[in-house]
Amino acid sequence: ALHALDELNQQGINCDLVDLRSINPIDWETIFNSVRKTGRLLVLDTANQTLSVASEIIAKVGIEIFDSLKCAPRRIALPDFPTPTSPALSAGYYQRSEDIVRACGEMLGKVLETEHIAVGRKTPHDVPGDWFKGPF
C-alpha cells in the first residue's frame, strides 16, 4: 500500500491511507471521515475476498454513509481459493502495488501508468521485495 501511495502521489493523486492497527475494536470514525473527505473507498485485505474484514468495511460504509460515496467501493483481497504453493500457480494470486494504482485510476476514471512498476521490480512475483525482512 505504501509503494502504491508513493506512485499515486508521483502521478498527482492524493490519497488517504488508513492503517487499521486493530480490527476489534475497529476505528469506524476514521474510516467514515476518510470516505466523507474523499468520496471513495478502496479496501486492501490480506485475507480472502468473501467474509473478510474488507467486505465488512464495505458493507458498513454502504449501510451507514452510502450518500458520501462518489463511486462504488472496491476491495483488493486474495481470491476465494486456497493459497497456491508454487511460483507458477501464484503468478496471478497475489496483488501488487500496480494493482492498487490501477484500481485507484479506475475509481477516478483515469488511466494511470503502471507498467514501469513491474518492469523496475527486481524480485520474483511471490516475494514482496528486497525491503521485506519478514518472518520467513
PDB file of all heavy atoms in Angstrom, residues 43-77:
ATOM      1  N   VAL A  43     -10.559  -0.854  -0.210  1.00  0.00           N
ATOM      2  CA  VAL A  43     -10.110  -1.574   0.971  1.00  0.00           C
ATOM      3  C   VAL A  43      -9.153  -2.679   0.542  1.00  0.00           C
ATOM      4  O   VAL A  43      -9.472  -3.473  -0.342  1.00  0.00           O
ATOM      5  CB  VAL A  43     -11.298  -2.181   1.748  1.00  0.00           C
ATOM      6  CG1 VAL A  43     -10.821  -2.822   3.046  1.00  0.00           C
ATOM      7  CG2 VAL A  43     -12.361  -1.134   2.036  1.00  0.00           C
ATOM      8  N   LEU A  44      -7.993  -2.713   1.171  1.00  0.00           N
ATOM      9  CA  LEU A  44      -6.998  -3.750   0.911  1.00  0.00           C
ATOM     10  C   LEU A  44      -7.025  -4.741   2.059  1.00  0.00           C
ATOM     11  O   LEU A  44      -7.074  -4.338   3.222  1.00  0.00           O
ATOM     12  CB  LEU A  44      -5.603  -3.146   0.803  1.00  0.00           C
ATOM     13  CG  LEU A  44      -5.453  -1.936  -0.104  1.00  0.00           C
ATOM     14  CD1 LEU A  44      -4.032  -1.409  -0.040  1.00  0.00           C
ATOM     15  CD2 LEU A  44      -5.847  -2.278  -1.515  1.00  0.00           C
ATOM     16  N   ASP A  45      -6.973  -6.012   1.742  1.00  0.00           N
ATOM     17  CA  ASP A  45      -7.037  -7.035   2.775  1.00  0.00           C
ATOM     18  C   ASP A  45      -6.152  -8.198   2.362  1.00  0.00           C
ATOM     19  O   ASP A  45      -6.135  -8.587   1.197  1.00  0.00           O
ATOM     20  CB  ASP A  45      -8.488  -7.498   2.940  1.00  0.00           C
ATOM     21  CG  ASP A  45      -8.751  -8.238   4.239  1.00  0.00           C
ATOM     22  OD1 ASP A  45      -7.799  -8.790   4.832  1.00  0.00           O
ATOM     23  OD2 ASP A  45      -9.919  -8.271   4.666  1.00  0.00           O
ATOM     24  N   THR A  46      -5.430  -8.755   3.327  1.00  0.00           N
ATOM     25  CA  THR A  46      -4.568  -9.908   3.042  1.00  0.00           C
ATOM     26  C   THR A  46      -5.328 -11.221   3.200  1.00  0.00           C
ATOM     27  O   THR A  46      -4.742 -12.286   3.046  1.00  0.00           O
ATOM     28  CB  THR A  46      -3.329  -9.912   3.966  1.00  0.00           C
ATOM     29  OG1 THR A  46      -3.772  -9.900   5.318  1.00  0.00           O
ATOM     30  CG2 THR A  46      -2.444  -8.721   3.688  1.00  0.00           C
ATOM     31  N   ALA A  47      -6.609 -11.144   3.483  1.00  0.00           N
ATOM     32  CA  ALA A  47      -7.454 -12.333   3.586  1.00  0.00           C
ATOM     33  C   ALA A  47      -8.185 -12.551   2.264  1.00  0.00           C
ATOM     34  O   ALA A  47      -8.044 -11.773   1.325  1.00  0.00           O
ATOM     35  CB  ALA A  47      -8.460 -12.151   4.720  1.00  0.00           C
ATOM     36  N   ASN A  48      -8.985 -13.598   2.212  1.00  0.00           N
ATOM     37  CA  ASN A  48      -9.809 -13.845   1.034  1.00  0.00           C
ATOM     38  C   ASN A  48     -10.903 -12.791   0.926  1.00  0.00           C
ATOM     39  O   ASN A  48     -11.263 -12.155   1.901  1.00  0.00           O
ATOM     40  CB  ASN A  48     -10.427 -15.243   1.105  1.00  0.00           C
ATOM     41  CG  ASN A  48      -9.371 -16.314   1.005  1.00  0.00           C
ATOM     42  OD1 ASN A  48      -8.829 -16.737   2.010  1.00  0.00           O
ATOM     43  ND2 ASN A  48      -9.072 -16.742  -0.198  1.00  0.00           N
ATOM     44  N   GLN A  49     -11.442 -12.620  -0.277  1.00  0.00           N
ATOM     45  CA  GLN A  49     -12.460 -11.597  -0.515  1.00  0.00           C
ATOM     46  C   GLN A  49     -13.730 -11.834   0.291  1.00  0.00           C
ATOM     47  O   GLN A  49     -14.262 -10.916   0.914  1.00  0.00           O
ATOM     48  CB  GLN A  49     -12.825 -11.556  -1.998  1.00  0.00           C
ATOM     49  CG  GLN A  49     -11.729 -11.026  -2.863  1.00  0.00           C
ATOM     50  CD  GLN A  49     -12.139 -11.015  -4.326  1.00  0.00           C
ATOM     51  OE1 GLN A  49     -13.273 -11.301  -4.681  1.00  0.00           O
ATOM     52  NE2 GLN A  49     -11.199 -10.674  -5.178  1.00  0.00           N
ATOM     53  N   THR A  50     -14.229 -13.050   0.267  1.00  0.00           N
ATOM     54  CA  THR A  50     -15.500 -13.348   0.900  1.00  0.00           C
ATOM     55  C   THR A  50     -15.339 -13.496   2.411  1.00  0.00           C
ATOM     56  O   THR A  50     -14.414 -14.144   2.884  1.00  0.00           O
ATOM     57  CB  THR A  50     -16.084 -14.643   0.307  1.00  0.00           C
ATOM     58  OG1 THR A  50     -16.201 -14.476  -1.106  1.00  0.00           O
ATOM     59  CG2 THR A  50     -17.451 -14.957   0.887  1.00  0.00           C
ATOM     60  N   LEU A  51     -16.258 -12.869   3.149  1.00  0.00           N
ATOM     61  CA  LEU A  51     -16.294 -12.939   4.612  1.00  0.00           C
ATOM     62  C   LEU A  51     -15.013 -12.381   5.246  1.00  0.00           C
ATOM     63  O   LEU A  51     -14.520 -12.900   6.238  1.00  0.00           O
ATOM     64  CB  LEU A  51     -16.556 -14.371   5.089  1.00  0.00           C
ATOM     65  CG  LEU A  51     -17.831 -15.009   4.553  1.00  0.00           C
ATOM     66  CD1 LEU A  51     -17.922 -16.466   4.973  1.00  0.00           C
ATOM     67  CD2 LEU A  51     -19.056 -14.241   5.014  1.00  0.00           C
ATOM     68  N   SER A  52     -14.511 -11.306   4.685  1.00  0.00           N
ATOM     69  CA  SER A  52     -13.273 -10.704   5.173  1.00  0.00           C
ATOM     70  C   SER A  52     -13.558  -9.396   5.894  1.00  0.00           C
ATOM     71  O   SER A  52     -14.677  -8.878   5.868  1.00  0.00           O
ATOM     72  CB  SER A  52     -12.342 -10.435   3.989  1.00  0.00           C
ATOM     73  OG  SER A  52     -12.934  -9.466   3.132  1.00  0.00           O
ATOM     74  N   VAL A  53     -12.538  -8.847   6.510  1.00  0.00           N
ATOM     75  CA  VAL A  53     -12.645  -7.523   7.116  1.00  0.00           C
ATOM     76  C   VAL A  53     -12.965  -6.507   6.025  1.00  0.00           C
ATOM     77  O   VAL A  53     -13.775  -5.598   6.223  1.00  0.00           O
ATOM     78  CB  VAL A  53     -11.348  -7.151   7.872  1.00  0.00           C
ATOM     79  CG1 VAL A  53     -11.397  -5.716   8.361  1.00  0.00           C
ATOM     80  CG2 VAL A  53     -11.129  -8.091   9.044  1.00  0.00           C
ATOM     81  N   ALA A  54     -12.374  -6.666   4.852  1.00  0.00           N
ATOM     82  CA  ALA A  54     -12.641  -5.754   3.734  1.00  0.00           C
ATOM     83  C   ALA A  54     -14.120  -5.749   3.373  1.00  0.00           C
ATOM     84  O   ALA A  54     -14.719  -4.689   3.179  1.00  0.00           O
ATOM     85  CB  ALA A  54     -11.804  -6.136   2.515  1.00  0.00           C
ATOM     86  N   SER A  55     -14.723  -6.927   3.295  1.00  0.00           N
ATOM     87  CA  SER A  55     -16.139  -6.980   2.937  1.00  0.00           C
ATOM     88  C   SER A  55     -16.999  -6.366   4.033  1.00  0.00           C
ATOM     89  O   SER A  55     -18.017  -5.726   3.748  1.00  0.00           O
ATOM     90  CB  SER A  55     -16.583  -8.409   2.605  1.00  0.00           C
ATOM     91  OG  SER A  55     -16.376  -9.276   3.694  1.00  0.00           O
ATOM     92  N   GLU A  56     -16.615  -6.517   5.275  1.00  0.00           N
ATOM     93  CA  GLU A  56     -17.361  -5.913   6.381  1.00  0.00           C
ATOM     94  C   GLU A  56     -17.250  -4.391   6.353  1.00  0.00           C
ATOM     95  O   GLU A  56     -18.241  -3.685   6.572  1.00  0.00           O
ATOM     96  CB  GLU A  56     -16.859  -6.451   7.725  1.00  0.00           C
ATOM     97  CG  GLU A  56     -17.602  -5.916   8.914  1.00  0.00           C
ATOM     98  CD  GLU A  56     -19.089  -6.270   8.918  1.00  0.00           C
ATOM     99  OE1 GLU A  56     -19.479  -7.291   8.324  1.00  0.00           O
ATOM    100  OE2 GLU A  56     -19.861  -5.501   9.525  1.00  0.00           O
ATOM    101  N   ILE A  57     -16.068  -3.875   6.054  1.00  0.00           N
ATOM    102  CA  ILE A  57     -15.893  -2.419   5.965  1.00  0.00           C
ATOM    103  C   ILE A  57     -16.744  -1.850   4.843  1.00  0.00           C
ATOM    104  O   ILE A  57     -17.438  -0.847   5.007  1.00  0.00           O
ATOM    105  CB  ILE A  57     -14.403  -2.060   5.783  1.00  0.00           C
ATOM    106  CG1 ILE A  57     -13.632  -2.374   7.067  1.00  0.00           C
ATOM    107  CG2 ILE A  57     -14.235  -0.594   5.381  1.00  0.00           C
ATOM    108  CD1 ILE A  57     -12.122  -2.280   6.928  1.00  0.00           C
ATOM    109  N   ILE A  58     -16.717  -2.496   3.697  1.00  0.00           N
ATOM    110  CA  ILE A  58     -17.520  -2.030   2.560  1.00  0.00           C
ATOM    111  C   ILE A  58     -19.005  -2.082   2.900  1.00  0.00           C
ATOM    112  O   ILE A  58     -19.761  -1.145   2.604  1.00  0.00           O
ATOM    113  CB  ILE A  58     -17.192  -2.837   1.292  1.00  0.00           C
ATOM    114  CG1 ILE A  58     -15.793  -2.459   0.801  1.00  0.00           C
ATOM    115  CG2 ILE A  58     -18.233  -2.603   0.203  1.00  0.00           C
ATOM    116  CD1 ILE A  58     -15.267  -3.320  -0.315  1.00  0.00           C
ATOM    117  N   ALA A  59     -19.436  -3.155   3.542  1.00  0.00           N
ATOM    118  CA  ALA A  59     -20.850  -3.272   3.912  1.00  0.00           C
ATOM    119  C   ALA A  59     -21.254  -2.162   4.876  1.00  0.00           C
ATOM    120  O   ALA A  59     -22.285  -1.502   4.686  1.00  0.00           O
ATOM    121  CB  ALA A  59     -21.115  -4.641   4.535  1.00  0.00           C
ATOM    122  N   LYS A  60     -20.456  -1.915   5.887  1.00  0.00           N
ATOM    123  CA  LYS A  60     -20.821  -0.900   6.899  1.00  0.00           C
ATOM    124  C   LYS A  60     -20.805   0.506   6.290  1.00  0.00           C
ATOM    125  O   LYS A  60     -21.693   1.308   6.581  1.00  0.00           O
ATOM    126  CB  LYS A  60     -19.875  -0.975   8.090  1.00  0.00           C
ATOM    127  CG  LYS A  60     -20.232  -0.007   9.189  1.00  0.00           C
ATOM    128  CD  LYS A  60     -20.387  -0.709  10.480  1.00  0.00           C
ATOM    129  CE  LYS A  60     -20.695   0.296  11.576  1.00  0.00           C
ATOM    130  NZ  LYS A  60     -21.180  -0.361  12.746  1.00  0.00           N
ATOM    131  N   VAL A  61     -19.827   0.802   5.450  1.00  0.00           N
ATOM    132  CA  VAL A  61     -19.805   2.109   4.782  1.00  0.00           C
ATOM    133  C   VAL A  61     -21.033   2.253   3.902  1.00  0.00           C
ATOM    134  O   VAL A  61     -21.682   3.298   3.884  1.00  0.00           O
ATOM    135  CB  VAL A  61     -18.500   2.306   3.976  1.00  0.00           C
ATOM    136  CG1 VAL A  61     -18.604   3.482   3.021  1.00  0.00           C
ATOM    137  CG2 VAL A  61     -17.323   2.498   4.922  1.00  0.00           C
ATOM    138  N   GLY A  62     -21.393   1.195   3.175  1.00  0.00           N
ATOM    139  CA  GLY A  62     -22.577   1.235   2.327  1.00  0.00           C
ATOM    140  C   GLY A  62     -23.862   1.436   3.116  1.00  0.00           C
ATOM    141  O   GLY A  62     -24.777   2.120   2.668  1.00  0.00           O
ATOM    142  N   ILE A  63     -23.930   0.865   4.286  1.00  0.00           N
ATOM    143  CA  ILE A  63     -25.120   0.997   5.124  1.00  0.00           C
ATOM    144  C   ILE A  63     -25.163   2.363   5.813  1.00  0.00           C
ATOM    145  O   ILE A  63     -26.193   3.033   5.826  1.00  0.00           O
ATOM    146  CB  ILE A  63     -25.161  -0.129   6.181  1.00  0.00           C
ATOM    147  CG1 ILE A  63     -25.403  -1.477   5.496  1.00  0.00           C
ATOM    148  CG2 ILE A  63     -26.218   0.138   7.248  1.00  0.00           C
ATOM    149  CD1 ILE A  63     -25.149  -2.679   6.385  1.00  0.00           C
ATOM    150  N   GLU A  64     -24.042   2.789   6.369  1.00  0.00           N
ATOM    151  CA  GLU A  64     -24.015   3.975   7.224  1.00  0.00           C
ATOM    152  C   GLU A  64     -23.870   5.293   6.464  1.00  0.00           C
ATOM    153  O   GLU A  64     -24.496   6.278   6.831  1.00  0.00           O
ATOM    154  CB  GLU A  64     -22.876   3.862   8.250  1.00  0.00           C
ATOM    155  CG  GLU A  64     -22.982   2.665   9.161  1.00  0.00           C
ATOM    156  CD  GLU A  64     -24.007   2.821  10.251  1.00  0.00           C
ATOM    157  OE1 GLU A  64     -24.260   3.964  10.679  1.00  0.00           O
ATOM    158  OE2 GLU A  64     -24.556   1.787  10.678  1.00  0.00           O
ATOM    159  N   ILE A  65     -22.996   5.325   5.444  1.00  0.00           N
ATOM    160  CA  ILE A  65     -22.716   6.618   4.786  1.00  0.00           C
ATOM    161  C   ILE A  65     -22.687   6.481   3.261  1.00  0.00           C
ATOM    162  O   ILE A  65     -21.872   7.100   2.581  1.00  0.00           O
ATOM    163  CB  ILE A  65     -21.405   7.246   5.313  1.00  0.00           C
ATOM    164  CG1 ILE A  65     -20.201   6.331   5.086  1.00  0.00           C
ATOM    165  CG2 ILE A  65     -21.526   7.622   6.781  1.00  0.00           C
ATOM    166  CD1 ILE A  65     -18.866   7.028   5.320  1.00  0.00           C
ATOM    167  N   PHE A  66     -23.604   5.718   2.732  1.00  0.00           N
ATOM    168  CA  PHE A  66     -23.685   5.483   1.288  1.00  0.00           C
ATOM    169  C   PHE A  66     -23.679   6.784   0.486  1.00  0.00           C
ATOM    170  O   PHE A  66     -23.044   6.877  -0.560  1.00  0.00           O
ATOM    171  CB  PHE A  66     -24.935   4.667   0.962  1.00  0.00           C
ATOM    172  CG  PHE A  66     -25.124   4.412  -0.494  1.00  0.00           C
ATOM    173  CD1 PHE A  66     -24.389   3.429  -1.139  1.00  0.00           C
ATOM    174  CD2 PHE A  66     -26.026   5.166  -1.234  1.00  0.00           C
ATOM    175  CE1 PHE A  66     -24.551   3.199  -2.495  1.00  0.00           C
ATOM    176  CE2 PHE A  66     -26.196   4.940  -2.590  1.00  0.00           C
ATOM    177  CZ  PHE A  66     -25.455   3.948  -3.226  1.00  0.00           C
ATOM    178  N   ASP A  67     -24.395   7.792   0.958  1.00  0.00           N
ATOM    179  CA  ASP A  67     -24.508   9.059   0.227  1.00  0.00           C
ATOM    180  C   ASP A  67     -23.182   9.796   0.092  1.00  0.00           C
ATOM    181  O   ASP A  67     -23.067  10.697  -0.734  1.00  0.00           O
ATOM    182  CB  ASP A  67     -25.529   9.979   0.902  1.00  0.00           C
ATOM    183  CG  ASP A  67     -26.950   9.457   0.751  1.00  0.00           C
ATOM    184  OD1 ASP A  67     -27.175   8.593  -0.123  1.00  0.00           O
ATOM    185  OD2 ASP A  67     -27.819   9.895   1.516  1.00  0.00           O
ATOM    186  N   SER A  68     -22.182   9.430   0.872  1.00  0.00           N
ATOM    187  CA  SER A  68     -20.866  10.075   0.787  1.00  0.00           C
ATOM    188  C   SER A  68     -20.020   9.520  -0.351  1.00  0.00           C
ATOM    189  O   SER A  68     -19.002  10.110  -0.709  1.00  0.00           O
ATOM    190  CB  SER A  68     -20.100   9.897   2.105  1.00  0.00           C
ATOM    191  OG  SER A  68     -20.780  10.514   3.164  1.00  0.00           O
ATOM    192  N   LEU A  69     -20.414   8.385  -0.905  1.00  0.00           N
ATOM    193  CA  LEU A  69     -19.627   7.725  -1.951  1.00  0.00           C
ATOM    194  C   LEU A  69     -19.883   8.342  -3.323  1.00  0.00           C
ATOM    195  O   LEU A  69     -21.030   8.531  -3.721  1.00  0.00           O
ATOM    196  CB  LEU A  69     -19.942   6.232  -1.992  1.00  0.00           C
ATOM    197  CG  LEU A  69     -19.484   5.421  -0.788  1.00  0.00           C
ATOM    198  CD1 LEU A  69     -20.125   4.041  -0.799  1.00  0.00           C
ATOM    199  CD2 LEU A  69     -17.975   5.306  -0.758  1.00  0.00           C
ATOM    200  N   LYS A  70     -18.807   8.628  -4.049  1.00  0.00           N
ATOM    201  CA  LYS A  70     -18.893   9.135  -5.422  1.00  0.00           C
ATOM    202  C   LYS A  70     -18.881   8.004  -6.446  1.00  0.00           C
ATOM    203  O   LYS A  70     -19.211   8.208  -7.608  1.00  0.00           O
ATOM    204  CB  LYS A  70     -17.726  10.083  -5.709  1.00  0.00           C
ATOM    205  CG  LYS A  70     -17.748  11.342  -4.872  1.00  0.00           C
ATOM    206  CD  LYS A  70     -16.546  12.203  -5.183  1.00  0.00           C
ATOM    207  CE  LYS A  70     -16.536  13.444  -4.312  1.00  0.00           C
ATOM    208  NZ  LYS A  70     -15.325  14.242  -4.547  1.00  0.00           N
ATOM    209  N   CYS A  71     -18.424   6.834  -6.027  1.00  0.00           N
ATOM    210  CA  CYS A  71     -18.406   5.658  -6.895  1.00  0.00           C
ATOM    211  C   CYS A  71     -18.520   4.421  -6.016  1.00  0.00           C
ATOM    212  O   CYS A  71     -18.426   4.509  -4.791  1.00  0.00           O
ATOM    213  CB  CYS A  71     -17.138   5.623  -7.753  1.00  0.00           C
ATOM    214  SG  CYS A  71     -15.614   5.372  -6.846  1.00  0.00           S
ATOM    215  N   ALA A  72     -18.699   3.296  -6.649  1.00  0.00           N
ATOM    216  CA  ALA A  72     -18.829   2.042  -5.903  1.00  0.00           C
ATOM    217  C   ALA A  72     -17.540   1.736  -5.147  1.00  0.00           C
ATOM    218  O   ALA A  72     -16.439   1.924  -5.684  1.00  0.00           O
ATOM    219  CB  ALA A  72     -19.142   0.900  -6.860  1.00  0.00           C
ATOM    220  N   PRO A  73     -17.647   1.288  -3.911  1.00  0.00           N
ATOM    221  CA  PRO A  73     -16.440   0.893  -3.177  1.00  0.00           C
ATOM    222  C   PRO A  73     -15.837  -0.354  -3.800  1.00  0.00           C
ATOM    223  O   PRO A  73     -16.519  -1.129  -4.471  1.00  0.00           O
ATOM    224  CB  PRO A  73     -16.950   0.616  -1.765  1.00  0.00           C
ATOM    225  CG  PRO A  73     -18.403   0.417  -1.885  1.00  0.00           C
ATOM    226  CD  PRO A  73     -18.851   1.105  -3.131  1.00  0.00           C
ATOM    227  N   ARG A  74     -14.543  -0.523  -3.584  1.00  0.00           N
ATOM    228  CA  ARG A  74     -13.835  -1.685  -4.140  1.00  0.00           C
ATOM    229  C   ARG A  74     -12.953  -2.301  -3.081  1.00  0.00           C
ATOM    230  O   ARG A  74     -12.569  -1.648  -2.122  1.00  0.00           O
ATOM    231  CB  ARG A  74     -12.959  -1.257  -5.324  1.00  0.00           C
ATOM    232  CG  ARG A  74     -13.820  -0.762  -6.464  1.00  0.00           C
ATOM    233  CD  ARG A  74     -13.183  -0.739  -7.790  1.00  0.00           C
ATOM    234  NE  ARG A  74     -12.327  -1.865  -8.101  1.00  0.00           N
ATOM    235  CZ  ARG A  74     -11.570  -1.894  -9.186  1.00  0.00           C
ATOM    236  NH1 ARG A  74     -11.577  -0.879 -10.032  1.00  0.00           N
ATOM    237  NH2 ARG A  74     -10.814  -2.915  -9.451  1.00  0.00           N
ATOM    238  N   ARG A  75     -12.611  -3.543  -3.309  1.00  0.00           N
ATOM    239  CA  ARG A  75     -11.668  -4.213  -2.413  1.00  0.00           C
ATOM    240  C   ARG A  75     -10.637  -4.955  -3.242  1.00  0.00           C
ATOM    241  O   ARG A  75     -10.904  -5.431  -4.344  1.00  0.00           O
ATOM    242  CB  ARG A  75     -12.376  -5.156  -1.459  1.00  0.00           C
ATOM    243  CG  ARG A  75     -12.954  -6.341  -2.153  1.00  0.00           C
ATOM    244  CD  ARG A  75     -13.654  -7.275  -1.199  1.00  0.00           C
ATOM    245  NE  ARG A  75     -14.444  -8.181  -2.020  1.00  0.00           N
ATOM    246  CZ  ARG A  75     -15.553  -8.741  -1.652  1.00  0.00           C
ATOM    247  NH1 ARG A  75     -16.030  -8.512  -0.463  1.00  0.00           N
ATOM    248  NH2 ARG A  75     -16.198  -9.543  -2.457  1.00  0.00           N
ATOM    249  N   ILE A  76      -9.457  -5.004  -2.684  1.00  0.00           N
ATOM    250  CA  ILE A  76      -8.388  -5.822  -3.244  1.00  0.00           C
ATOM    251  C   ILE A  76      -8.019  -6.809  -2.148  1.00  0.00           C
ATOM    252  O   ILE A  76      -7.558  -6.413  -1.075  1.00  0.00           O
ATOM    253  CB  ILE A  76      -7.183  -4.965  -3.670  1.00  0.00           C
ATOM    254  CG1 ILE A  76      -7.565  -4.067  -4.839  1.00  0.00           C
ATOM    255  CG2 ILE A  76      -5.998  -5.861  -4.015  1.00  0.00           C
ATOM    256  CD1 ILE A  76      -6.443  -3.180  -5.343  1.00  0.00           C
ATOM    257  N   ALA A  77      -8.287  -8.063  -2.413  1.00  0.00           N
ATOM    258  CA  ALA A  77      -8.025  -9.124  -1.450  1.00  0.00           C
ATOM    259  C   ALA A  77      -7.635 -10.376  -2.221  1.00  0.00           C
ATOM    260  O   ALA A  77      -7.627 -10.375  -3.458  1.00  0.00           O
ATOM    261  CB  ALA A  77      -9.272  -9.376  -0.596  1.00  0.00           C
TER     262      ALA A  77
END
